[in-house]
């Protein structure tokens, strides 16, 4: 039975449907609930069945919450927030998490509808509080109390009304239309509860005044949000870390202090048994150098079309090749792919839009949040565009140092392979890897950061080595490009590897004129691998465990695991069986004048022995008068009975608790009531004239 004014719930559900774009759902739910006022039949639900239905509702809420988080990458968003390297990344994570929570709130009227409808079509005006509390249920079961209706129960109509209003607010814009509808519904709900001592006009004036003040506060908070958000953006902008951009890459050359990289896992790599795992996965390629930036000359991407199976993408035809499986997240379904040099085919990649540029950068324009695909690659079959004049250019400011070293190393002599080997030996013999950029040496006039690295310090991170290698090769007549991506170095068992943020790397890509292919050249000293490994946090194993859970959950969410299909199919028979078990064993009862016969109600404490006291006294003409309380009745009876016929007041209190206390009586107290009444009856039997 519903205790809200007629049509209030249906109007609220229609308002919710209008705001959330689910108008037809709101109309349907509202019609069902209001239909309960017209139907004269009611379900017979026992307390235990309401308990089961509430448990199912709670489980459904948890399941939908998990689905909402997975649908909007909410789980990974929470993880990303605490591992974000930039304000933009952190802001995106917040937006994703908020979207997941808002979607969950929007669906709440549908989640709680079955329970509210069950009460609407049941005989119960109130549902026992124990139904909504597992603690109270356990306590009642422990002390042996009867699980039944109590006067202190809950009618779910008004709570459902509040839930629906909150759900309607999740997509409302800052417009007067939404707020007017909200105030109208609130006034409708409060109308039956208004004080009858105040005139109607005064009540309406108070409602209008409260609504106006609320709207003003609503607008103020809305404006405050934008002010705080802008201040937050300005404050956090300076803490962002670099990321790969297909158009340009800002190096950290010249940055004072230790470079920082997090332990967040960004890629998972696995090679088939017996095959070698690629050590470098490139993500973006650049040609122009203007310290401290490397920029791409080709900023336009061309669409690539999938084969007929819609999951295979071919860059060019190549002979038999190696295979590597790569798992990576895509931000809002978009992002650059990390691929081995020489990739010519991608398989099992269910994205909707793929693009490439002439430098070999591959970008996904639309796809799922997680992709796990196979990359086919062949080192002697690259699809990168042929060398251009930009691949031989050296900035004017870097020319003096570059020319000096090319002359000292006789780098212009020999073929391309010999030039590459000379450079590898040069960097391996005379240079060291370091996180620090220090100014412990005097800076010469007009000396660039790269010149200082090549001629003086000879110590730096990968961006120094990659930039220097590219420019030296260009001056020696070899086409070269700057490449940014990741190094695959941390094993995870077998042929599996994890790639972290701190494994971001830069290296040189040079053109082998003899083979007509582009090849990787990494001149950064190998000691950088151990140096990076020593920087791991003590909490990294715990974070890795969480990352693994998120990854497995994301596989199910984004269809990268067969488990999702099996779970979906398994839920169908479970739902059917639960619904059949819950509904088919119920019996209909016709309701007469909205009042059910007392004998049809399952009431708490009807087995109380105290009713035998009432029967015995009634037989002696000492009946309970209409409207008379039991305590007043016993006080009147005691005046007409000798002392041995008086009843202990404690027995009446036990009877009251058995009848009306949701917790009921303990086993000891129940025995005390039973024994007390039996002793009183024995005294009455021994004294018939009493």
């Amino acid at each position: 039975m519903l205790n809200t004014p007629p049509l209030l719930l249906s109007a609220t559900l229609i308002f919710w449907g209008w705001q959330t774009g689910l108008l037809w759902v709101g109309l349907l739910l509202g019609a069902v609930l209001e239909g309960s006022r017209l139907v004269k039949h009611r379900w017979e639900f026992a307390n235990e069945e309401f308990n089961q239905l509430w448990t199912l509702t709670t489980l459904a809420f948890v399941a939908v919450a998990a689905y909402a988080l997975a649908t909007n990458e909410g789980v990974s968003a929470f993880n990303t927030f605490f591992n974000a390297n930039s304000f933009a990344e952190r802001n995106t994570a917040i937006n994703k998490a908020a979207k997941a929570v808002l979607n969950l709130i929007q669906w709440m009227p549908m989640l709680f509808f079955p329970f509210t409808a069950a009460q609407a079509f049941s005989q119960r005006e109130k549902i026992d509080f124990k139904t909504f509390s597992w603690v109270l249920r356990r306590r009642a079961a422990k002390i042996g109390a009867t699980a039944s209706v109590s006067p202190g129960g809950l009618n779910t109509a008004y709570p459902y009304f509040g839930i629906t209003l909150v759900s309607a607010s999740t997509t409302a814009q800052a417009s007067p239309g939404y707020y007017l509808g909200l105030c109208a519904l609130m006034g409708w709900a409060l109308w039956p509860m208004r004080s009858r001592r105040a005139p109607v006009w005064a009540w309406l004036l108070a409602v209008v005044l409260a609504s106006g003040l609320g709207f003003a506060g609503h607008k103020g908070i809305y404006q405050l949000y934008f002010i705080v958000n802008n201040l937050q953006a300005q404050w956090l902008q300076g803490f962002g870390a670099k990321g790969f951009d297909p158009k340009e890459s800002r190096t950290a050359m010249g940055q004072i202090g230790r470079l920082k990289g997090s332990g967040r896992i960004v890629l998972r790599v696995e090679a088939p048994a017996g095959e070698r795992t690629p050590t470098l996965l490139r993500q973006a390629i650049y040609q122009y150098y203007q310290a401290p930036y490397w920029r791409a000359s080709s900023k336009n991407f061309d669409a690539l079309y999938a084969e007929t199976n819609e999951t295979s993408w071919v860059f060019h035809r190549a002979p038999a090749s190696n295979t590597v499986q790569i798992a990576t997240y895509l931000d809002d379904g978009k992002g650059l792919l990390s691929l081995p040099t020489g990739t010519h085919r991608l398989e099992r990649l269910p994205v909707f839009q793929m693009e490439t540029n002439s430098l070999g950068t591959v970008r996904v324009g639309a796809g799922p949040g997680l992709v796990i695909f196979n990359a086919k690659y062949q080192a002697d079959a690259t699809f990168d565009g042929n060398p251009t004049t930009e691949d031989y250019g050296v900035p004017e400011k870097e020319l003096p140092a570059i020319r000096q070293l090319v002359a000292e190393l006789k780098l212009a002599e020999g073929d391309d392979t010999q030039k590459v080997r000379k450079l590898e030996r040069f960097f391996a013999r005379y240079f060291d890897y370091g996180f620090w950029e220090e100014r412990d040496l005097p800076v010469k006039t007009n000396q660039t950061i790269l010149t200082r690295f090549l001629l003086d310090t000879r110590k730096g991170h990968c961006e120094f080595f990659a930039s220097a290698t590219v420019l030296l090769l260009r001056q020696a007549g070899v086409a070269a490009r700057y490449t940014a991506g990741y190094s695959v170095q941390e094993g995870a068992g077998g042929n599996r590897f994890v790639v972290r943020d701190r494994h971001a790397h830069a290296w040189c890509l040079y053109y082998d004129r003899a083979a007509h292919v582009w090849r990787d050249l990494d001149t950064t000293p190998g000691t950088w691998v151990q140096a990076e490994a020593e920087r791991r946090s003590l909490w990294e194993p715990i974070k890795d465990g969480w990352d693994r859970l998120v990854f497995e959950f994301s596989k199910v969410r984004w269809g990268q695991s067969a488990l999702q299909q099996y779970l979906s199919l398994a839920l169908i028979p479970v739902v059917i069986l639960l619904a059949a078990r819950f509904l088919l064993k119920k019996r209909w009862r016709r309701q007469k004048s909205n009042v059910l016969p007392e004998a049809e109600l399952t009431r708490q404490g009807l087995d109380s022995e105290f009713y035998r006291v009432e029967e015995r006294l009634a037989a002696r003409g000492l009946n309970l008068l209409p409207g008379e309380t039991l305590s007043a009745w016993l006080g009147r009876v005691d005046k007409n009975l000798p002392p041995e016929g008086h009843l202990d007041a404690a027995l009446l209190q036990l009877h009251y608790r058995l009848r009306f206390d949701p917790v009921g009586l303990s086993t000891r107290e129940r025995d005390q009531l039973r024994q007390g009444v039996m002793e009183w009856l024995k005294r009455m039997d021994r004294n018939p004239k009493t």
Side-chain angles (χ1 to χ4, degrees), residues 348-659:
R348 297 173 56 192
L349 180 57
V351 299
F352 314 117
Q353 181 182 348
M354 183 92 77
E355 302 170 323
T356 63
N357 66 9
S358 61
L359 300 179
T361 300
V362 181
R363 181 171 68 184
V364 173
L370 171 69
V371 290
I372 303 176
F373 60 93
N374 292 333
K376 299 282 187 179
Y377 66 100
Q378 173 58 260
D380 293 326
T382 55
F383 73 94
D384 309 42
N386 291 326
T388 64
T389 55
E390 290 84 358
D391 297 316
Y392 295 92
V394 178
E396 190 71 27
K397 291 183 179 180
E398 311 295 346
L399 269 176
I402 297 297
R403 285 173 176 168
Q404 177 182 334
L405 287 177
V406 168
E408 290 178 3
L409 299 174
K410 300 180 180 180
L411 202 58
E413 301 175 4
D415 58 24
D416 291 351
T417 302
Q418 292 174 327
K419 295 174 183 178
V420 168
R421 297 294 175 263
K422 289 179 182 179
L423 268 186
E424 288 180 324
R425 289 193 296 269
F426 172 65
F427 284 114
R429 180 177 299 178
Y430 300 108
F431 288 76
D432 294 318
Y433 181 79
F435 296 116
W436 293 89
E437 173 67 16
E438 301 174 347
R439 296 190 183 276
D440 53 352
L441 294 175
V443 180
K444 299 176 182 178
T445 304
N446 297 326
Q447 186 182 53
T448 68
I449 295 298
L450 192 59
T451 297
R452 183 170 181 266
F453 164 74
L454 286 171
L455 301 181
D456 297 330
T457 64
R458 295 197 169 182
K459 182 178 181 180
H461 47 80
C462 60
E463 292 171 329
F464 283 99
F465 288 94
S467 299
T469 303
V470 170
L471 298 184
L472 285 169
L473 282 177
R474 288 180 175 183
Q475 186 64 26
V478 179
R481 294 170 178 171
Y482 180 92
T483 307
Y486 293 94
S487 171
V488 182
Q489 57 183 253
E490 183 177 337
N495 273 13
R496 297 189 300 273
F497 293 81
V498 294
V499 180
R500 305 179 187 275
D501 259 339
R502 65 169 177 264
H503 296 152
H505 196 45
W507 63 95
C508 170
L509 196 67
Y510 76 94
Y511 188 69
D512 186 340
R513 285 177 288 190
H516 303 288
V517 296
W518 291 90
R519 298 191 186 280
D520 293 321
L521 176 58
D522 185 10
T523 56
T524 303
T527 54
W528 88 274
V529 174
Q530 180 62 30
E532 289 289 350
E534 293 174 353
R535 300 171 66 190
R536 63 167 57 106
S537 166
L538 294 177
W539 299 100
E540 193 164 278
I542 298 176
K543 294 173 66 177
D544 286 353
W546 172 251
D547 284 342
R548 186 69 193 187
L549 288 176
V550 172
F551 177 69
E552 294 298 333
F553 184 77
S554 298
K555 285 170 61 178
V556 176
R557 163 63 189 96
W558 295 109
Q560 301 291 338
S561 170
L563 181 61
Q564 184 185 44
Q565 178 182 359
Y566 298 144
L567 286 177
S568 301
L569 294 176
L571 284 176
I572 297 175
V574 171
V575 172
I576 294 175
L577 289 175
L578 288 174
R581 181 179 181 275
F582 186 76
L583 294 176
L584 295 183
K585 70 177 185 178
K586 297 286 98 197
R587 292 179 298 137
W588 281 100
R589 292 284 185 178
R590 182 172 179 82
Q591 185 181 20
K592 298 179 181 180
S593 303
N594 294 325
V595 178
L596 291 172
E598 185 73 16
E600 294 186 12
L601 290 174
T602 301
R603 307 263 318 264
Q604 176 174 312
L606 286 182
D607 58 343
S608 174
E609 290 76 13
F610 194 87
Y611 290 115
R612 298 184 63 181
V613 174
E614 185 177 346
E615 293 173 359
R616 177 63 64 87
L617 293 176
R620 294 174 178 267
L622 300 174
N623 304 67
L624 180 66
L625 300 177
E628 189 176 24
T629 64
L630 287 177
S631 57
W633 172 59
L634 290 180
R636 177 169 58 84
V637 167
D638 286 345
K639 296 178 181 179
N640 297 286
L641 293 176
E644 58 269 20
H646 292 179
L647 191 71
D648 189 355
L651 296 180
L652 177 59
Q653 294 300 319
L654 290 174
H655 171 72
Y656 271 135
R657 287 180 54 198
L658 179 61
R659 284 284 288 114

Side-chain angles (χ1 to χ4, degrees), residues 182-471:
L182 176 67
C183 293
L185 290 171
M186 289 295 297
W188 190 350
L190 294 173
W191 174 258
M193 306 174 189
R194 72 188 189 282
S195 173
R196 299 302 191 274
R197 292 178 295 179
V200 173
W201 66 265
W203 184 85
L204 290 174
L205 180 62
V207 170
V208 171
L209 181 61
S211 300
L213 292 175
F215 182 71
H218 165 72
K219 294 289 289 184
I221 293 174
Y222 194 76
Q223 295 298 324
L224 181 62
Y225 163 77
F226 285 105
I227 295 173
V228 174
N229 195 53
N230 290 335
L231 289 176
Q232 182 190 39
Q234 296 169 12
W235 181 67
L236 291 175
Q237 279 291 354
F239 295 92
K242 67 172 185 175
F244 297 128
D245 186 302
K247 297 179 181 179
E248 69 177 24
S249 176
R250 187 187 193 284
T251 70
M253 293 189 295
Q255 178 175 312
I256 305 302
R258 183 182 294 274
L259 299 178
K260 296 181 180 180
S262 76
R264 180 172 61 102
I265 297 175
V266 294
L267 297 170
R268 294 179 186 271
V269 181
E270 182 175 358
E275 289 197 23
R276 179 176 175 270
T277 304
T279 57
L280 297 173
L281 298 177
R282 69 186 199 179
Q283 199 172 85
I285 299 92
Y286 310 96
Q287 289 177 298
Y288 288 110
Y289 177 63
Q290 184 178 6
Y293 291 94
W294 276 97
R295 293 186 171 90
S297 62
S298 177
K299 299 180 181 180
N300 296 323
F301 283 78
D302 298 320
L304 184 70
Y305 298 98
E307 294 191 325
T308 54
N309 62 9
E310 297 184 351
T311 60
S312 296
W313 306 79
V314 178
F315 302 115
H316 67 98
R317 303 297 172 181
S321 58
N322 300 312
T323 302
V324 62
Q325 183 185 86
I326 301 172
T328 182
Y329 292 101
L330 297 175
D331 187 11
D332 285 334
K334 302 176 183 179
L336 300 180
L337 293 183
S338 299
L339 303 172
T341 297
T343 297
H344 60 85
R345 179 184 178 90
L346 303 179
E347 297 178 344
R348 297 173 56 192
L349 180 57
V351 299
F352 314 117
Q353 181 182 348
M354 183 92 77
E355 302 170 323
T356 63
N357 66 9
S358 61
L359 300 179
T361 300
V362 181
R363 181 171 68 184
V364 173
L370 171 69
V371 290
I372 303 176
F373 60 93
N374 292 333
K376 299 282 187 179
Y377 66 100
Q378 173 58 260
D380 293 326
T382 55
F383 73 94
D384 309 42
N386 291 326
T388 64
T389 55
E390 290 84 358
D391 297 316
Y392 295 92
V394 178
E396 190 71 27
K397 291 183 179 180
E398 311 295 346
L399 269 176
I402 297 297
R403 285 173 176 168
Q404 177 182 334
L405 287 177
V406 168
E408 290 178 3
L409 299 174
K410 300 180 180 180
L411 202 58
E413 301 175 4
D415 58 24
D416 291 351
T417 302
Q418 292 174 327
K419 295 174 183 178
V420 168
R421 297 294 175 263
K422 289 179 182 179
L423 268 186
E424 288 180 324
R425 289 193 296 269
F426 172 65
F427 284 114
R429 180 177 299 178
Y430 300 108
F431 288 76
D432 294 318
Y433 181 79
F435 296 116
W436 293 89
E437 173 67 16
E438 301 174 347
R439 296 190 183 276
D440 53 352
L441 294 175
V443 180
K444 299 176 182 178
T445 304
N446 297 326
Q447 186 182 53
T448 68
I449 295 298
L450 192 59
T451 297
R452 183 170 181 266
F453 164 74
L454 286 171
L455 301 181
D456 297 330
T457 64
R458 295 197 169 182
K459 182 178 181 180
H461 47 80
C462 60
E463 292 171 329
F464 283 99
F465 288 94
S467 299
T469 303
V470 170
L471 298 184

Side-chain angles (χ1 to χ4, degrees), residues 29-214:
L29 299 185
V32 172
L33 289 183
E34 293 301 332
S36 67
R37 301 180 188 274
L38 305 176
V39 176
K40 300 300 182 182
H41 293 78
R42 290 290 183 265
W43 291 107
E44 290 184 356
F45 288 129
N47 274 354
E48 183 59 31
E49 290 161 336
F50 271 118
N51 294 348
Q52 293 174 1
L53 182 57
W54 181 252
T55 300
L56 291 175
T57 302
T58 304
L59 292 176
F61 179 84
V62 173
V64 172
Y67 178 79
L69 289 173
T71 301
N72 297 282
E73 301 179 72
V75 177
S76 61
F78 284 112
N79 183 52
T80 301
F81 176 80
F82 292 104
N83 295 283
N85 291 317
S86 67
F87 170 74
E89 187 177 355
R90 185 177 290 107
N91 193 50
T92 300
I94 292 174
N95 290 335
K96 286 182 179 179
K99 185 178 179 182
V101 174
L102 289 178
N103 277 350
L104 174 62
I105 296 175
Q106 285 181 24
W107 296 335
M108 286 172 62
M110 291 184 286
L111 290 174
F112 293 101
F113 172 78
F115 192 86
T116 304
Q119 180 174 13
F121 285 93
S122 74
Q123 300 170 346
R124 301 292 183 84
E125 183 178 352
K126 293 182 179 180
I127 299 175
D128 202 313
F129 282 124
K130 290 195 292 291
T131 296
F132 308 99
S133 173
W134 182 82
V135 174
L136 287 180
R137 286 193 221 171
R138 294 287 298 173
R139 181 180 176 188
K142 184 176 181 180
I143 64 178
T146 305
S148 58
V149 176
S150 69
L154 174 70
N155 190 300
T156 59
Y158 271 109
Y160 186 72
F161 164 77
I163 288 173
T164 307
L165 275 188
V166 171
S167 299
S169 69
T170 54
T171 59
Q173 303 297 321
S175 63
Y178 161 75
Y179 200 76
L180 286 175
L182 176 67
C183 293
L185 290 171
M186 289 295 297
W188 190 350
L190 294 173
W191 174 258
M193 306 174 189
R194 72 188 189 282
S195 173
R196 299 302 191 274
R197 292 178 295 179
V200 173
W201 66 265
W203 184 85
L204 290 174
L205 180 62
V207 170
V208 171
L209 181 61
S211 300
L213 292 175

